[in-house]
Amino acid sequence: FSTTPRTSVTTSDKERAMAATDLDLDVLIAGAGPTGLMLANEMARRSSTSAIRYQVVDAAPGPSTHTKAMAVQVRTLEVYDDLGLVDKALEEGFKMNKFSVYGGEGKQLSAELGALNGLSPYPTMLVYPQFQNEALLLESIRQNHWDTAKGGRRRARGRGGKGSQQDAPITYHTKLVGFEKKADHVEARLQDTETMQTRVVRTKFLVGCDGAHSAVRHGLNLGFGGKKYPQEFVLLDCELEKEEPCDFLKPGEAFASMEHAMFVIFPYKDGSYRLIMSRAADKEGAEPTLDEVQASCDLLPFKLQIKAPRWLTQFSLHARSVDQYSDSDHRVFVAGDAAHIHSPVGGQGMNTGLQDSYNLGWKLAMVINGTAGPKASAMLLSSYNDERHRVGKKLLERTDNGFSVVTARGWTFRIMRSLIF
């Protein structure tokens, strides 16, 4: 096998097929978050007629243990239905029933969730944290990979030890550090984060599901235009002691206060909560404290006492998007946060990444399996950018508008609050 670019454009189908078999992989997926695992799941379950050689690499030591994203939307539940995973997701998560917004005494809005009754079999948002989504997809990958392996497929093993996904092609402690496009494949450089040794993998397709600081996006020199929001935020996962009786935070209900600043409370199935609050300007840059969060709780229209804190962190947010989701010849792609990042308004971040991969996965599989001819293959692969870029752009606009309203400060905040209430 030669990595020298071919000078002839009349290479026969037989020669191309022989060259393809000399490659290490059909698809290399950078990133083992929900977006990367959804794509790997699609590769695994669509390998029944012919083995799709795929590998997922991630610099992390193992699957995430933090909640991070927590909402699964209706469309994602429909995707999980197609994958045969929705029943387990519904069993492990719980449905959000109501969202209340408080703007001061006598100023309250409430929305009963589930307005899509009749339009979808899954008419409301599911609270189902990111690490549970990852575990769900990992188990599905292992099962699909094992079923294919029993049919004669070569099985690729991940790194051993805690957090490894034995018998599934998931490799942790490994990051993509660069790649180079050749005439008919991509050479990717992978680095072991423990030994710092590098190796080269030759793959037909490379997909960057590697987050906001994507090495794939940087390697393609894709623009990532947008903005950073000026506000800083605090997130706390904890238990809450509520004063009874309380008209808010009943089981399955979320709450947001806009009376003084943004303060949002989401419930978990185990009875604990996620608190997200915007910070006062004089607090930004300092390490968050429980006293700071409790002080904001004390401004709410009901009494709450923080108990058993599990995770306290501060963060800033961006709204950015690439100008295209792949290279010009459709061999290197980006998906999820590698392609777009936006505010958490509407809880769409993780969902959009999952749906990116669901859209790309079956198209890659048809091309790799030879189901689509050359012309159809080109159209399929280009349609990923056409379809998902449009969705990402609209979502970015809507979440930016909504987020600007709920996080505005000063006179802007007062005007927006008066318009809403």
Side-chain angles (χ1 to χ4, degrees), residues 59-316:
S64 174
T65 57
H66 289 301
T67 298
K68 298 183 182 178
M70 58 183 297
V72 174
Q73 303 290 354
V74 171
R75 176 56 185 153
T76 303
L77 291 173
E78 292 172 346
V79 170
Y80 279 164
D81 189 356
D82 181 48
L83 271 58
L85 303 176
V86 72
D87 289 341
K88 186 172 183 182
L90 292 172
E91 178 185 350
E92 295 179 343
F94 82 104
K95 297 177 182 178
M96 185 77 75
N97 301 316
K98 185 178 180 180
F99 194 97
S100 298
V101 182
Y102 182 81
E105 187 174 355
K107 300 177 180 180
Q108 179 182 333
L109 297 174
S110 294
E112 299 288 341
L113 304 182
L116 292 178
N117 278 312
L119 299 178
S120 172
Y122 312 106
T124 189
M125 182 179 76
L126 188 73
V127 177
Y128 194 50
Q130 179 171 327
F131 72 90
Q132 289 183 281
N133 283 270
E134 292 183 12
L136 180 75
L137 291 166
L138 281 167
E139 179 58 34
S140 177
I141 292 167
R142 281 198 296 267
Q143 184 60 52
N144 281 313
H145 195 70
W146 171 252
D147 288 345
T148 308
K150 289 193 293 184
R153 177 182 174 185
R154 176 178 61 85
R155 292 162 67 188
R157 289 182 176 267
R159 174 187 298 273
K162 183 178 179 180
S164 71
Q165 304 309 312
Q166 190 175 14
D167 297 331
I170 316 290
T171 306
Y172 293 99
H173 293 284
T174 303
K175 68 177 180 179
L176 177 80
V177 293
F179 64 90
E180 183 177 356
K181 290 173 59 179
K182 298 297 183 178
D184 57 0
H185 68 281
V186 179
E187 289 191 355
R189 298 191 306 278
L190 304 179
Q191 183 181 66
D192 187 306
T193 59
E194 293 180 313
T195 67
M196 305 308 290
Q197 292 181 338
T198 60
R199 59 188 175 94
V200 174
V201 171
R202 298 170 300 170
T203 180
K204 187 173 184 179
F205 297 104
L206 170 63
V207 185
C209 305
D210 47 346
H213 303 287
S214 170
V216 175
R217 187 185 67 243
H218 287 299
L220 287 176
N221 293 316
L222 295 178
F224 203 44
K227 66 181 182 181
K228 177 183 178 181
Y229 292 103
Q231 302 92 341
E232 190 172 277
F233 304 87
V234 172
L235 180 153
L236 173 65
D237 284 346
C238 65
E239 296 177 11
L240 292 174
E241 184 177 317
K242 296 182 292 181
E243 178 187 45
E244 297 295 348
C246 180
D247 293 332
F248 301 99
L249 295 182
K250 292 181 171 60
E253 294 184 5
F255 170 85
S257 174
M258 294 180 62
E259 184 178 16
H260 303 285
M262 187 195 81
F263 193 99
V264 185
I265 305 174
F266 290 103
Y268 288 120
K269 187 174 183 177
D270 64 1
S272 62
Y273 294 88
R274 166 162 291 184
L275 281 53
I276 301 175
M277 53 175 275
S278 56
R279 305 188 82 179
D282 61 348
K283 295 287 188 181
E284 292 181 355
E287 286 294 317
T289 65
L290 293 178
D291 287 341
E292 178 186 356
V293 182
Q294 184 62 59
S296 291
C297 287
D298 293 341
L299 298 175
L300 298 176
F302 49 92
K303 291 185 178 181
L304 290 179
Q305 184 66 43
I306 295 170
K307 295 174 56 181
R310 296 199 302 251
W311 186 28
L312 175 64
T313 188
Q314 66 194 70
F315 62 96
S316 298

Side-chain angles (χ1 to χ4, degrees), residues 20 23-30 39 43 52-55 179 181 184-188 201-208 216 326-327 329-333 360-361 363-370 377-378 380-382:
L23 299 179
D24 300 303
L25 296 170
D26 294 309
V27 185
L28 175 64
I29 302 167
L39 186 59
M43 296 300 98
I52 297 177
R53 300 166 299 166
Y54 67 97
Q55 184 78 28
F179 64 90
K181 290 173 59 179
D184 57 0
H185 68 281
V186 179
E187 289 191 355
V201 171
R202 298 170 300 170
T203 180
K204 187 173 184 179
F205 297 104
L206 170 63
V207 185
V216 175
S326 72
D327 59 351
D329 51 0
H330 311 299
R331 285 190 284 136
V332 183
F333 303 84
L360 179 61
K363 297 172 181 179
L364 283 176
M366 285 191 70
V367 173
I368 293 166
N369 287 333
S377 293
L380 275 174
L381 296 180
S382 65

